Amino acid sequence: IEEVQVLNEDLHRTNDELHAASRGAEAARAAAEQAERDVRAILASIPDPFVITDAQWRWRYVNEPAAGIFSRAGHDPRGLVGRVMWDEYPDLVGTRYEVEMTRAVREGVPVTFEEFYPKAGTWAEIRCFPLPDGGLATAWRDVTARKRADEARHYLGEASAILASSLDYEATLKALARLVVPRLADWCVVHVVDDDGSLRQIAVGHVDPAKAEWAAEMDRRYPPLPDAQTGIPQVVRTGRPELYPEVTDEMLQAGARDAGHLAVVRALGLASAIVVPLASGERVLGAMSLFAAQSGRRYGQPDLEMASELGRRAGTAVDNARLHADALRARAAAEEAAAEAVAANRAKAEFLAMMSHELRTPLNAIGGYAQIIEMGVHGPVTDAQAEDLARIQRSQHHLLSLINDVLNFAKIEAGRVQYHIERVPVHELLGNLEPLVAPQLAARELRYEYAGADPSLAVSADAEKVRQVLLNLLSNAIKFTGAGGTVSVSVRATGETVEVQVRDSGAGIPADKLETVFEPFVQLSRGLTSNVEGTGLGLSISRDLARSMAGDLSVSSVPGEGSVFTLTLPRATN
């Protein structure tokens, strides 16, 4: 009985222990389930794409952000768990993705790196954490916006430096094509529009120089068709860029010239393309083409925007280089023309000076012999003969005056006129003019007016040259003023200059001829006579003399009321 009682107590105790163990196991199971829920909640709360792979690179866990990315790439995220990552993404094998992720597992250390995924055209920051069982936890973040901004700053800065480095735009465009390969493009081709409107390929960028040369040969065999409705010719015509996110075989067939051409372009394996204009303002100077091939890159709108900016900067550089070259050619042509003009003017001036001297010699002889005859040295002179001699002398004086004008003009043209600049009292100079023109005034029955000037007023000039200018102005005024009219001289001091004005009451000068009167060999009729005498050099000579003394000669006129010629000279200091 005691044994039964002991056994019964043992059974009760064992039963209690079993119940306690069961309760502990249930609590442990509940704790484990809660821990698993907590882990999944933690994993699910990770905002970035996150996956876990085992030691054989099979996916064990894929969170929602990662599932969304896989789904957009054409994978069913529900079927990924248990599948090998490299089998699903064979394009990652051999890339930095495989290298860095394998290193994290092999070395058992966390690894972080940034890499570009060509197919998606995106950049990611990848963080890898090795697990104790040989697996790997991987999270990544899209950093495309930041990398594109960095990329744009880098390439646009580098491009600007290249394009500004030389005015040889062909060399700089070749350097630009090399710059964008291979990061932005597998191929970069640049065409420019020549003066005749034809397209010329001047740059090809590729990592393999032999392929670049081959591309140049292909362009010579198959140049762009001018009337093509797509590609380079269309971009050059319209100035609008073109984006081809995916280059299809249908596109290649449509653009191929023949079967051989199609075979060549198919062999290139082109996957995506961009064509942008090289533009400066509204002018399109060429086009730049970017092609993605073996890299598998797919171009998008951000790529088009950056390529367009590169094209704009390249276009500005080409335009500036061409303008500079045009300026150099124009300068060389102008210098050549100027040299020819100087030589021609020198020859003309020397000829005029020589002829003037040669003509003055016989003219002086004519005047001298006329005076001798008039004096009766060779016998008595009748009244009729005396009148003829007077005509001869008037004609001789007139012709000599014309020749002197030509001689003075020739001296000015040749730069052989010498100036003696001194202080010249204005009132004294002007007061002595009237006696010199009195015979002409009387002959034409004109009034002469001069109100005088401040005796202390003086100009800094050559007195003889000033007198020559003023006498020429007075002679012109008298010549073009009708009988009963008025010729006047007045003076006005204006700060650092002195203005001497010669005014007439003649017919005036038309507004469109005011500057013409200062051109050499121009003689305008102001409606008073059709046979105005002169060489047309007087005003040209007068203006040149005035300007050579740091002054000027100008005219204003009202047709029907007369003209005012203003001689401006520097005012002399006391």
Side-chain angles (χ1 to χ4, degrees):
I1 294 175
E2 292 178 358
E3 292 179 357
V4 172
Q5 187 175 357
V6 170
L7 180 60
N8 187 43
E9 291 175 356
D10 289 341
L11 287 174
H12 280 291
R13 187 168 55 256
T14 300
N15 188 48
D16 291 340
E17 290 175 355
L18 289 174
H19 281 294
S22 176
R23 288 194 298 272
E26 185 66 27
R29 185 165 53 253
E33 290 175 353
Q34 182 61 43
E36 184 176 353
R37 287 194 296 272
D38 291 343
V39 169
R40 289 187 175 275
I42 292 171
L43 294 178
S45 69
I46 297 175
D48 295 328
F50 178 82
V51 298
I52 296 176
T53 53
D54 63 16
Q56 285 72 44
W57 298 100
R58 289 188 298 263
W59 277 301
R60 286 178 13 199
Y61 176 79
V62 177
N63 74 351
E64 286 300 321
I69 292 175
F70 294 147
S71 177
R72 288 192 293 274
H75 298 277
D76 182 1
R78 293 171 298 180
L80 287 179
V81 174
R83 302 184 67 85
V84 176
M85 181 177 67
W86 309 121
D87 292 343
E88 296 300 311
Y89 283 88
D91 56 314
L92 296 182
V93 176
T95 67
R96 192 180 178 201
Y97 288 95
E98 182 188 29
V99 171
E100 295 297 333
M101 295 173 77
T102 302
R103 182 170 71 88
V105 172
R106 183 179 66 251
E107 298 178 4
V109 295
V111 172
T112 299
F113 64 98
E114 292 180 351
E115 188 59 22
F116 180 71
Y117 185 48
K119 278 192 175 181
T122 57
W123 280 89
E125 179 189 70
I126 297 95
R127 301 183 302 280
C128 303
F129 305 94
L131 301 176
D133 61 356
L136 189 70
T138 304
W140 65 94
R141 177 179 301 150
D142 190 322
V143 293
T144 304
R146 173 173 62 79
K147 293 295 290 187
R148 285 194 186 280
D150 293 343
E151 193 175 66
R153 280 193 296 271
H154 169 72
Y155 282 104
L156 293 178
E158 288 289 317
S160 295
I162 288 172
L163 295 170
S165 65
S166 170
L167 286 169
D168 181 354
Y169 69 85
E170 294 195 16
T172 56
L173 289 179
K174 289 176 182 177
L176 178 64
R178 292 191 297 269
L179 171 70
V180 301
V181 172
R183 175 59 74 182
L184 299 183
D186 297 308
W187 293 87
C188 177
V189 182
V190 182
H191 288 78
V192 295
V193 180
D194 280 335
D195 293 337
D196 61 359
S198 63
L199 285 168
R200 177 167 57 95
Q201 184 189 92
I202 65 170
V204 178
H206 193 276
V207 291
D208 185 348
K211 287 190 175 182
E213 179 55 36
W214 172 83
E217 175 60 28
M218 290 301 298
D219 185 79
R220 288 189 284 269
R221 292 172 56 188
Y222 299 104
L225 293 174
D227 57 351
Q229 297 304 303
T230 59
I232 296 167
Q234 178 73 353
V235 169
V236 169
R237 272 197 306 273
T238 64
R240 293 191 294 271
E242 292 184 353
L243 169 64
Y244 302 96
E246 183 176 0
V247 176
T248 65
D249 192 65
E250 290 75 12
M251 293 179 184
L252 299 181
Q253 293 180 47
R257 309 286 182 80
D258 51 40
H261 190 203
L262 178 60
V264 169
V265 294
R266 278 175 171 167
L268 293 176
L270 301 180
S272 191
I274 288 175
V275 185
V276 297
L278 305 185
S280 178
E282 298 299 320
R283 299 195 306 130
V284 178
L285 306 174
M288 180 173 67
S289 306
L290 304 181
F291 300 99
Q294 65 269 17
S295 66
R297 179 169 183 158
R298 293 297 186 272
Y299 291 126
Q301 188 62 33
D303 302 298
L304 180 66
E305 291 172 0
M306 185 165 71
S308 295
E309 179 61 20
L310 282 173
R312 186 191 68 78
R313 298 190 184 197
T316 300
V318 172
D319 196 23
N320 289 340
R322 287 183 171 178
L323 289 174
H324 180 74
D326 290 343
L328 289 180
R329 285 192 293 269
R331 178 179 176 180
E335 289 175 349
E336 182 179 354
E340 292 175 354
V342 168
N345 284 336
R346 185 182 299 112
K348 176 184 70 176
E350 290 174 354
F351 171 77
L352 291 175
M354 180 188 69
M355 290 303 298
S356 298
H357 281 294
E358 293 297 323
L359 289 172
R360 284 205 302 179
T361 299
L363 276 176
N364 287 331
I366 291 171
Y369 281 114
Q371 288 179 349
I372 290 173
I373 294 173
E374 185 182 34
M375 292 167 61
V377 173
H378 298 293
V381 177
T382 66
D383 291 340
Q385 290 173 331
E387 186 176 341
D388 289 340
L389 288 171
R391 290 194 181 96
I392 291 173
Q393 289 177 321
R394 285 196 298 273
S395 296
Q396 184 263 347
H397 286 308
H398 175 63
L399 187 54
L400 187 60
S401 175
L402 297 181
I403 291 172
N404 283 334
D405 278 348
V406 173
L407 181 59
N408 286 331
F409 178 73
K411 287 181 178 179
I412 291 174
E413 285 280 283
R416 296 175 181 171
V417 178
Q418 296 182 344
Y419 296 86
H420 178 59
I421 305 300
E422 59 183 343
R423 187 176 186 279
V424 180
V426 175
H427 177 65
E428 180 182 343
L429 177 67
L430 299 182
N432 293 328
L433 292 178
E434 184 177 2
L436 300 177
V437 295
Q440 299 176 55
L441 292 166
R444 297 189 65 86
E445 300 178 356
L446 301 177
R447 292 187 301 277
Y448 179 82
E449 297 178 352
Y450 169 57
D454 183 348
S456 64
L457 185 63
V459 295
S460 179
D462 184 314
E464 185 57 36
K465 303 299 186 300
V466 176
R467 184 178 295 105
Q468 181 180 346
V469 172
L470 292 173
L471 286 174
N472 184 42
L473 296 179
L474 287 170
S475 296
N476 275 351
I478 293 169
K479 187 188 304 182
F480 290 104
T481 303
T486 302
V487 174
S488 63
V489 177
S490 61
V491 182
R492 182 176 63 178
T494 58
E496 297 181 353
T497 62
V498 174
E499 294 180 354
V500 180
Q501 294 185 328
V502 176
R503 185 185 306 270
D504 66 63
S505 59
I509 305 171
D512 61 339
K513 301 296 183 183
L514 288 176
E515 283 301 309
T516 305
V517 298
F518 293 107
E519 296 178 6
F521 303 106
V522 171
Q523 178 60 277
L524 298 180
S525 171
R526 301 197 216 169
L528 297 175
T529 175
S530 61
N531 60 346
V532 175
E533 299 175 339
T535 59
L537 291 172
L539 290 175
S540 176
I541 292 172
S542 296
R543 174 176 270 187
D544 284 340
L545 291 174
R547 289 179 172 176
S548 295
M549 294 184 288
D552 201 0
L553 181 60
S554 59
V555 62
S556 61
S557 181
V558 178
E561 297 182 11
S563 305
V564 179
F565 284 85
T566 302
L567 171 63
T568 303
L569 293 169
R571 185 172 183 174
T573 56
N574 294 327

